Amino acid sequence: MKLEINVKNDNREVQNTIISQIRDLINYKNLEPGDKIPSERMLSDKFGVSRSNVRDAIQKLEFYGILSSIPQSGTFVANIGVTALNGMIDDILRLKEPDFKSLVETRILLELKTARLASLRRTEADLIQMEDALNAYREKVINGEKAVEEDLLFHLAIAKASGNSTLNTLMLMITPGIITNFEEYHVCSEDLAFNGIQEHRDIFEAIKAKNPGLAKEKVKVHFKALYQYCYSIS
Amino acid sequence: MKLEINVKNDNREVQNTIISQIRDLINYKNLEPGDKIPSERMLSDKFGVSRSNVRDAIQKLEFYGILSSIPQSGTFVANIGVTALNGMIDDILRLKEPDFKSLVETRILLELKTARLASLRRTEADLIQMEDALNAYREKVINGEKAVEEDLLFHLAIAKASGNSTLNTLMLMITPGIITNFEEYHVCSEDLAFNGIQEHRDIFEAIKAKNPGLAKEKVKVHFKALYQYCYSIS
DNA sequence: CACAAAATTCTGGTTAACCAATATTATAAA
DNA sequence: TTTATAATATTGGTTAACCAGAATTTTGTG
């Protein structure tokens, strides 16, 4: 297990080295937005790493919109100036693994917004999906089973109902981290789960009634315990 | 250009097909959390696609915490039940490219939070970096040059100062989309840029003074025009 | 010289062979 | 039969050869 982590860190360090080398190269060669960077083969040769390593690094920079690859043509610097480019690459290099506190803090922020938007934009189909998740959650809890998944599905259903594709994506992205940390820190107690049934119902009803203020308020109530726990361990 | 988009869409469709096939396989074989899924070779053979396609699909599911690959051992279903797994995979398959409106909506939400947190947690080093970005922005605007990048760097500096690694990452991820759409919709006018100088300064001073309420308020002012524009084009 | 056409080079993407570590099976000793 | 050991098969990861298409250079033609 330890070994695996080290391996991943090593890979990440290699990738970060390549990324910073690409940045240096762009600066040294005074490449401007739209210019083509050297081919993958040349870079792998120059940096003394495998071509797949270079490809992975480029892919990461593509994800953040720094580079753009066109098949059979080349890889190009995105349409942002060197200032922003350097700043963003530095930020990317310094990105840390998210800590539990920041995850929860962010999740609460996102949930308050998605609930509010969902109460304004939810469709009938959204309501059905939310109620399904809600019922599944209640069943599990009543049977004394763990219901972390059903809990999350309800919240993801809200995110979907928010009609905001960006928020929906962000919620999906932070979800795995939330699950992992929840299990690691044993956040879920049985009492909380039981309270959750009514709290979920309240949120659902507020969204159904198209009452954004109430929805936000009910989400706040739902996350109050989590919020305090999150700050108590920091 | 059109071709490129089609190619990417094709690739995405292939990937989505593979992802849904993996999901079906997990369901059909009743695989539980922690179980091993068939090897990449078997999957590529079974699905009639190349192994690299399978690897890409697995990588995406790893990103969302659905699967977990261990070298020389296998790829395993993450520690979430089939219910959440199916729900999340369906969500992933339905993920849409973010639209401008949802991007701006999300950005404003994130910025209000990062400014608030930054005013509580900023270090002296953060202040220096923010002021650097702020000055660079002013210089450019006064010289009549475009300053979208410097604008963003100021906001990314705030995100960094928020001390919330998740929020910082999310800001970085939505930034490229923001830049692209800004240029596409020609959001930035010269008047707005000039107003921006003072507005940035106001935000900075509020954060420096450790006044979260004021910081939030100043961010609201700063985004007011953008907010209205965003809703006018929808 | 100008310009079109063909040959060549170069590109990112794909495929298949290879690697080291692991998991499994077969074997043998107790 | 049990258990320790060795041989084998399987795994995700890596490398290098290959591909189709784009970019460039060379060639041919007016």
Side-chain angles (χ1 to χ4, degrees):
Chain A
M1 197 58 181
K2 188 73 169 63
L3 180 67
E4 182 204 348
I5 291 172
N6 283 340
V7 167
K8 288 201 172 178
N9 279 351
D10 280 1
N11 284 349
R12 190 186 159 135
E13 273 183 34
V14 169
Q15 195 180 71
N16 276 357
T17 306
I18 297 173
I19 289 177
S20 60
Q21 280 178 298
I22 291 178
R23 176 201 54 192
D24 296 343
L25 187 140
I26 291 174
N27 288 321
Y28 181 72
K29 289 204 170 186
N30 284 321
L31 296 184
E32 294 185 8
D35 284 353
K36 183 158 75 174
I37 70 172
S39 69
E40 296 174 350
R41 288 171 181 80
M42 286 184 64
L43 292 179
S44 68
D45 192 40
K46 195 185 189 77
F47 300 157
V49 296
S50 73
R51 200 183 140 201
S52 40
N53 286 141
V54 173
R55 281 178 65 81
D56 287 345
I58 289 177
Q59 192 181 23
K60 184 163 185 178
L61 290 177
E62 273 193 270
F63 177 76
Y64 286 104
I66 307 281
L67 296 177
S68 172
S69 287
I70 296 178
Q72 286 83 40
S73 180
T75 301
F76 300 84
V77 179
N79 224 5
I80 54 174
V82 282
T83 319
L85 187 137
N86 279 295
M88 286 184 65
I89 290 185
D90 284 347
D91 285 343
I92 292 168
L93 290 174
R94 283 185 199 135
L95 277 184
K96 289 179 297 186
E97 283 295 309
D99 51 302
F100 187 34
K101 185 182 168 183
S102 86
L103 270 170
V104 171
E105 202 169 71
T106 307
R107 182 188 170 190
I108 293 175
L109 171 72
L110 296 179
E111 296 259 14
L112 288 172
K113 188 70 173 183
T114 53
R116 205 181 162 282
L117 291 178
S119 69
L120 296 169
R121 302 172 184 167
R122 95 289 185 287
T123 65
E124 292 302 315
D126 291 328
L127 287 181
I128 293 173
Q129 193 161 6
M130 287 169 57
E131 196 154 26
D132 284 348
L134 201 152
N135 289 332
Y137 177 75
R138 193 186 53 200
E139 292 261 335
K140 284 259 183 175
V141 172
I142 288 178
N143 291 340
E145 298 176 65
K146 285 204 172 189
V148 189
E149 317 155 21
E150 285 74 12
D151 185 358
L152 274 161
L153 283 181
F154 176 69
H155 290 283
L156 288 177
I158 296 176
K160 195 185 293 175
S162 75
N164 183 310
S165 56
T166 305
L167 281 174
N168 194 5
T169 305
L170 297 189
M171 277 289 293
L172 265 172
M173 288 195 295
I174 68 170
T175 294
I178 296 277
I179 294 180
T180 306
N181 282 286
F182 260 52
E183 309 208 330
E184 194 167 328
Y185 290 102
H186 309 293
V187 173
C188 297
S189 75
E190 206 165 302
D191 291 347
L192 282 180
F194 257 104
N195 292 339
I197 297 177
Q198 186 57 44
E199 289 167 8
H200 278 188
R201 172 62 65 179
D202 289 342
I203 296 169
F204 172 74
E205 293 297 342
I207 292 174
K208 188 178 180 183
K210 301 195 173 184
N211 187 334
L214 186 62
K216 192 173 177 179
E217 200 53 44
K218 291 302 179 185
V219 172
K220 261 187 190 166
V221 171
H222 184 50
F223 282 117
K224 194 176 180 187
L226 176 58
Y227 189 74
Q228 288 171 340
Y229 178 80
C230 157
Y231 273 86
S232 70
I233 64 170
S234 67
Chain B
M1 198 57 179
K2 188 74 169 62
L3 180 67
E4 183 206 345
I5 292 171
N6 282 340
V7 168
K8 290 200 172 178
N9 279 351
D10 280 2
N11 284 349
R12 189 185 159 134
E13 273 182 34
V14 169
Q15 195 179 72
N16 276 356
T17 306
I18 298 174
I19 289 177
S20 60
Q21 280 177 298
I22 291 178
R23 177 201 52 193
D24 295 343
L25 187 139
I26 291 174
N27 287 321
Y28 181 72
K29 289 204 171 186
N30 285 321
L31 295 184
E32 293 186 10
D35 284 354
K36 183 158 75 173
I37 69 171
S39 70
E40 296 175 351
R41 288 171 182 81
M42 286 185 65
L43 292 180
S44 68
D45 191 42
K46 194 183 189 78
F47 301 157
V49 296
S50 73
R51 199 183 139 199
S52 39
N53 286 140
V54 173
R55 281 179 65 82
D56 288 344
I58 289 177
Q59 192 181 24
K60 185 164 185 178
L61 290 177
E62 273 193 272
F63 176 76
Y64 286 104
I66 307 281
L67 296 178
S68 173
S69 287
I70 296 179
Q72 284 82 41
S73 179
T75 301
F76 301 83
V77 179
N79 224 6
I80 53 174
V82 282
T83 319
L85 187 137
N86 279 294
M88 286 185 65
I89 290 185
D90 284 348
D91 285 343
I92 292 169
L93 291 174
R94 284 187 198 131
L95 278 183
K96 288 181 299 186
E97 282 295 307
D99 52 301
F100 188 34
K101 185 181 169 183
S102 85
L103 271 170
V104 171
E105 203 168 69
T106 307
R107 183 189 169 190
I108 294 175
L109 171 72
L110 296 180
E111 296 259 13
L112 289 172
K113 188 72 173 184
T114 52
R116 205 180 163 283
L117 291 178
S119 69
L120 296 170
R121 302 173 185 168
R122 95 288 185 287
T123 64
E124 293 301 316
D126 290 328
L127 286 180
I128 293 174
Q129 194 162 6
M130 286 170 58
E131 194 154 28
D132 285 348
L134 200 153
N135 290 333
Y137 177 74
R138 193 186 54 200
E139 292 261 334
K140 284 258 182 177
V141 171
I142 288 177
N143 291 340
E145 298 175 67
K146 285 204 171 188
V148 189
E149 317 154 21
E150 285 75 12
D151 185 357
L152 274 161
L153 283 181
F154 176 69
H155 291 284
L156 288 178
I158 296 177
K160 195 184 295 175
S162 76
N164 182 311
S165 56
T166 305
L167 280 174
N168 194 4
T169 305
L170 297 188
M171 278 289 294
L172 266 172
M173 289 196 295
I174 69 170
T175 295
I178 295 277
I179 294 180
T180 307
N181 282 285
F182 261 52
E183 308 206 331
E184 194 169 327
Y185 289 102
H186 309 293
V187 173
C188 298
S189 76
E190 207 165 299
D191 291 348
L192 281 180
F194 258 104
N195 292 340
I197 297 177
Q198 186 56 44
E199 289 167 9
H200 279 188
R201 172 61 65 178
D202 289 342
I203 297 169
F204 172 74
E205 292 297 341
I207 292 173
K208 188 178 179 182
K210 301 195 173 185
N211 187 333
L214 186 62
K216 191 173 177 180
E217 200 54 44
K218 292 301 181 186
V219 171
K220 263 188 188 164
V221 171
H222 184 49
F223 282 117
K224 194 176 179 186
L226 175 59
Y227 190 73
Q228 288 171 341
Y229 178 80
C230 157
Y231 273 85
S232 71
I233 63 172
S234 67

